[in-house]
PDB file of all heavy atoms in Angstrom:
ATOM      1  N   PRO A1144      48.987  35.592 156.328  1.00  0.00           N
ATOM      2  CA  PRO A1144      48.185  35.512 155.219  1.00  0.00           C
ATOM      3  C   PRO A1144      46.936  34.559 155.333  1.00  0.00           C
ATOM      4  O   PRO A1144      47.013  33.558 156.103  1.00  0.00           O
ATOM      5  CB  PRO A1144      49.199  34.819 154.068  1.00  0.00           C
ATOM      6  CG  PRO A1144      50.446  35.175 154.578  1.00  0.00           C
ATOM      7  CD  PRO A1144      50.392  35.083 156.109  1.00  0.00           C
ATOM      8  N   VAL A1145      45.826  34.958 154.725  1.00  0.00           N
ATOM      9  CA  VAL A1145      44.654  34.163 154.912  1.00  0.00           C
ATOM     10  C   VAL A1145      44.204  33.753 153.463  1.00  0.00           C
ATOM     11  O   VAL A1145      44.534  34.463 152.410  1.00  0.00           O
ATOM     12  CB  VAL A1145      43.499  35.045 155.618  1.00  0.00           C
ATOM     13  CG1 VAL A1145      43.847  35.235 156.994  1.00  0.00           C
ATOM     14  CG2 VAL A1145      43.149  36.261 154.789  1.00  0.00           C
ATOM     15  N   PRO A1146      43.383  32.739 153.210  1.00  0.00           N
ATOM     16  CA  PRO A1146      43.005  32.309 151.961  1.00  0.00           C
ATOM     17  C   PRO A1146      42.263  33.443 151.256  1.00  0.00           C
ATOM     18  O   PRO A1146      41.419  34.136 151.795  1.00  0.00           O
ATOM     19  CB  PRO A1146      41.931  31.161 152.255  1.00  0.00           C
ATOM     20  CG  PRO A1146      42.452  30.572 153.536  1.00  0.00           C
ATOM     21  CD  PRO A1146      42.999  31.764 154.374  1.00  0.00           C
ATOM     22  N   GLY A1147      42.612  33.664 149.968  1.00  0.00           N
ATOM     23  CA  GLY A1147      42.019  34.676 149.156  1.00  0.00           C
ATOM     24  C   GLY A1147      43.052  35.839 148.994  1.00  0.00           C
ATOM     25  O   GLY A1147      42.909  36.646 148.059  1.00  0.00           O
ATOM     26  N   ASP A1148      44.057  36.030 149.842  1.00  0.00           N
ATOM     27  CA  ASP A1148      45.023  37.076 149.697  1.00  0.00           C
ATOM     28  C   ASP A1148      45.793  36.857 148.385  1.00  0.00           C
ATOM     29  O   ASP A1148      46.217  35.658 148.206  1.00  0.00           O
ATOM     30  CB  ASP A1148      45.944  37.069 150.867  1.00  0.00           C
ATOM     31  CG  ASP A1148      45.306  37.694 152.136  1.00  0.00           C
ATOM     32  OD1 ASP A1148      44.121  38.195 152.051  1.00  0.00           O
ATOM     33  OD2 ASP A1148      45.942  37.653 153.152  1.00  0.00           O
ATOM     34  N   VAL A1149      46.143  37.917 147.753  1.00  0.00           N
ATOM     35  CA  VAL A1149      47.084  37.912 146.631  1.00  0.00           C
ATOM     36  C   VAL A1149      48.435  38.341 147.153  1.00  0.00           C
ATOM     37  O   VAL A1149      48.456  39.478 147.671  1.00  0.00           O
ATOM     38  CB  VAL A1149      46.578  38.757 145.491  1.00  0.00           C
ATOM     39  CG1 VAL A1149      47.668  38.790 144.254  1.00  0.00           C
ATOM     40  CG2 VAL A1149      45.223  38.268 144.903  1.00  0.00           C
ATOM     41  N   VAL A1150      49.475  37.589 146.958  1.00  0.00           N
ATOM     42  CA  VAL A1150      50.802  37.856 147.584  1.00  0.00           C
ATOM     43  C   VAL A1150      51.879  37.907 146.620  1.00  0.00           C
ATOM     44  O   VAL A1150      51.732  37.308 145.457  1.00  0.00           O
ATOM     45  CB  VAL A1150      51.158  36.812 148.667  1.00  0.00           C
ATOM     46  CG1 VAL A1150      50.040  36.969 149.929  1.00  0.00           C
ATOM     47  CG2 VAL A1150      51.184  35.467 148.190  1.00  0.00           C
ATOM     48  N   ILE A1151      52.867  38.716 146.776  1.00  0.00           N
ATOM     49  CA  ILE A1151      54.123  38.713 146.017  1.00  0.00           C
ATOM     50  C   ILE A1151      55.128  38.011 146.780  1.00  0.00           C
ATOM     51  O   ILE A1151      55.251  38.140 148.000  1.00  0.00           O
ATOM     52  CB  ILE A1151      54.507  40.136 145.546  1.00  0.00           C
ATOM     53  CG1 ILE A1151      54.759  40.977 146.731  1.00  0.00           C
ATOM     54  CG2 ILE A1151      53.469  40.712 144.600  1.00  0.00           C
ATOM     55  CD1 ILE A1151      55.419  42.419 146.343  1.00  0.00           C
ATOM     56  N   PHE A1152      56.039  37.162 146.215  1.00  0.00           N
ATOM     57  CA  PHE A1152      57.003  36.433 146.998  1.00  0.00           C
ATOM     58  C   PHE A1152      58.096  35.920 146.057  1.00  0.00           C
ATOM     59  O   PHE A1152      58.018  36.000 144.841  1.00  0.00           O
ATOM     60  CB  PHE A1152      56.297  35.227 147.604  1.00  0.00           C
ATOM     61  CG  PHE A1152      55.670  34.301 146.490  1.00  0.00           C
ATOM     62  CD1 PHE A1152      56.337  33.244 145.920  1.00  0.00           C
ATOM     63  CD2 PHE A1152      54.286  34.533 146.076  1.00  0.00           C
ATOM     64  CE1 PHE A1152      55.770  32.409 144.925  1.00  0.00           C
ATOM     65  CE2 PHE A1152      53.689  33.761 145.126  1.00  0.00           C
ATOM     66  CZ  PHE A1152      54.473  32.694 144.635  1.00  0.00           C
ATOM     67  N   HIS A1153      59.084  35.461 146.697  1.00  0.00           N
ATOM     68  CA  HIS A1153      60.258  34.703 145.986  1.00  0.00           C
ATOM     69  C   HIS A1153      59.860  33.201 146.085  1.00  0.00           C
ATOM     70  O   HIS A1153      59.600  32.665 147.223  1.00  0.00           O
ATOM     71  CB  HIS A1153      61.590  34.964 146.710  1.00  0.00           C
ATOM     72  CG  HIS A1153      62.125  36.330 146.618  1.00  0.00           C
ATOM     73  ND1 HIS A1153      62.346  36.937 145.357  1.00  0.00           N
ATOM     74  CD2 HIS A1153      62.488  37.289 147.559  1.00  0.00           C
ATOM     75  CE1 HIS A1153      62.750  38.155 145.433  1.00  0.00           C
ATOM     76  NE2 HIS A1153      62.892  38.364 146.823  1.00  0.00           N
ATOM     77  N   PRO A1154      59.905  32.500 144.909  1.00  0.00           N
ATOM     78  CA  PRO A1154      59.726  31.040 145.066  1.00  0.00           C
ATOM     79  C   PRO A1154      60.701  30.412 145.907  1.00  0.00           C
ATOM     80  O   PRO A1154      61.882  30.698 145.946  1.00  0.00           O
ATOM     81  CB  PRO A1154      59.764  30.636 143.581  1.00  0.00           C
ATOM     82  CG  PRO A1154      59.581  31.898 142.810  1.00  0.00           C
ATOM     83  CD  PRO A1154      60.140  32.983 143.674  1.00  0.00           C
ATOM     84  N   PRO A1155      60.406  29.305 146.558  1.00  0.00           N
ATOM     85  CA  PRO A1155      61.356  28.562 147.357  1.00  0.00           C
ATOM     86  C   PRO A1155      62.238  27.711 146.502  1.00  0.00           C
ATOM     87  O   PRO A1155      61.821  27.454 145.324  1.00  0.00           O
ATOM     88  CB  PRO A1155      60.464  27.641 148.247  1.00  0.00           C
ATOM     89  CG  PRO A1155      59.246  27.335 147.403  1.00  0.00           C
ATOM     90  CD  PRO A1155      58.981  28.606 146.595  1.00  0.00           C
ATOM     91  N   LYS A1156      63.453  27.280 147.019  1.00  0.00           N
ATOM     92  CA  LYS A1156      64.351  26.510 146.290  1.00  0.00           C
ATOM     93  C   LYS A1156      63.863  24.968 146.389  1.00  0.00           C
ATOM     94  O   LYS A1156      63.809  24.414 147.438  1.00  0.00           O
ATOM     95  CB  LYS A1156      65.718  26.591 146.885  1.00  0.00           C
ATOM     96  CG  LYS A1156      66.742  25.792 146.087  1.00  0.00           C
ATOM     97  CD  LYS A1156      66.920  26.137 144.714  1.00  0.00           C
ATOM     98  CE  LYS A1156      68.029  25.357 144.025  1.00  0.00           C
ATOM     99  NZ  LYS A1156      67.522  23.893 143.662  1.00  0.00           N
ATOM    100  N   THR A1157      63.481  24.423 145.296  1.00  0.00           N
ATOM    101  CA  THR A1157      62.968  23.003 145.333  1.00  0.00           C
ATOM    102  C   THR A1157      63.637  22.388 144.041  1.00  0.00           C
ATOM    103  O   THR A1157      64.180  23.028 143.126  1.00  0.00           O
ATOM    104  CB  THR A1157      61.466  22.974 145.197  1.00  0.00           C
ATOM    105  OG1 THR A1157      61.010  23.441 143.907  1.00  0.00           O
ATOM    106  CG2 THR A1157      60.870  23.820 146.228  1.00  0.00           C
ATOM    107  N   PRO A1158      63.414  21.109 143.805  1.00  0.00           N
ATOM    108  CA  PRO A1158      63.872  20.482 142.581  1.00  0.00           C
ATOM    109  C   PRO A1158      63.279  21.001 141.372  1.00  0.00           C
ATOM    110  O   PRO A1158      63.824  20.898 140.308  1.00  0.00           O
ATOM    111  CB  PRO A1158      63.545  18.984 142.878  1.00  0.00           C
ATOM    112  CG  PRO A1158      63.486  18.813 144.329  1.00  0.00           C
ATOM    113  CD  PRO A1158      62.994  20.112 144.848  1.00  0.00           C
ATOM    114  N   LYS A1159      62.146  21.748 141.456  1.00  0.00           N
ATOM    115  CA  LYS A1159      61.407  22.272 140.239  1.00  0.00           C
ATOM    116  C   LYS A1159      61.850  23.631 140.004  1.00  0.00           C
ATOM    117  O   LYS A1159      61.308  24.316 139.008  1.00  0.00           O
ATOM    118  CB  LYS A1159      59.936  22.040 140.524  1.00  0.00           C
ATOM    119  CG  LYS A1159      59.446  20.615 140.687  1.00  0.00           C
ATOM    120  CD  LYS A1159      59.602  19.904 139.334  1.00  0.00           C
ATOM    121  CE  LYS A1159      59.092  18.516 139.492  1.00  0.00           C
ATOM    122  NZ  LYS A1159      57.645  18.455 139.625  1.00  0.00           N
ATOM    123  N   THR A1160      62.530  24.378 140.990  1.00  0.00           N
ATOM    124  CA  THR A1160      62.947  25.674 140.808  1.00  0.00           C
ATOM    125  C   THR A1160      64.510  25.869 140.838  1.00  0.00           C
ATOM    126  O   THR A1160      65.024  25.225 141.719  1.00  0.00           O
ATOM    127  CB  THR A1160      62.291  26.571 141.882  1.00  0.00           C
ATOM    128  OG1 THR A1160      62.661  26.084 143.264  1.00  0.00           O
ATOM    129  CG2 THR A1160      60.754  26.535 141.833  1.00  0.00           C
TER     130      THR A1160
END
Side-chain angles (χ1 to χ4, degrees):
V1145 297
D1148 285 353
V1149 176
V1150 296
I1151 60 173
F1152 59 91
H1153 292 301
K1156 180 65 180 72
T1157 70
K1159 299 292 183 68
T1160 56

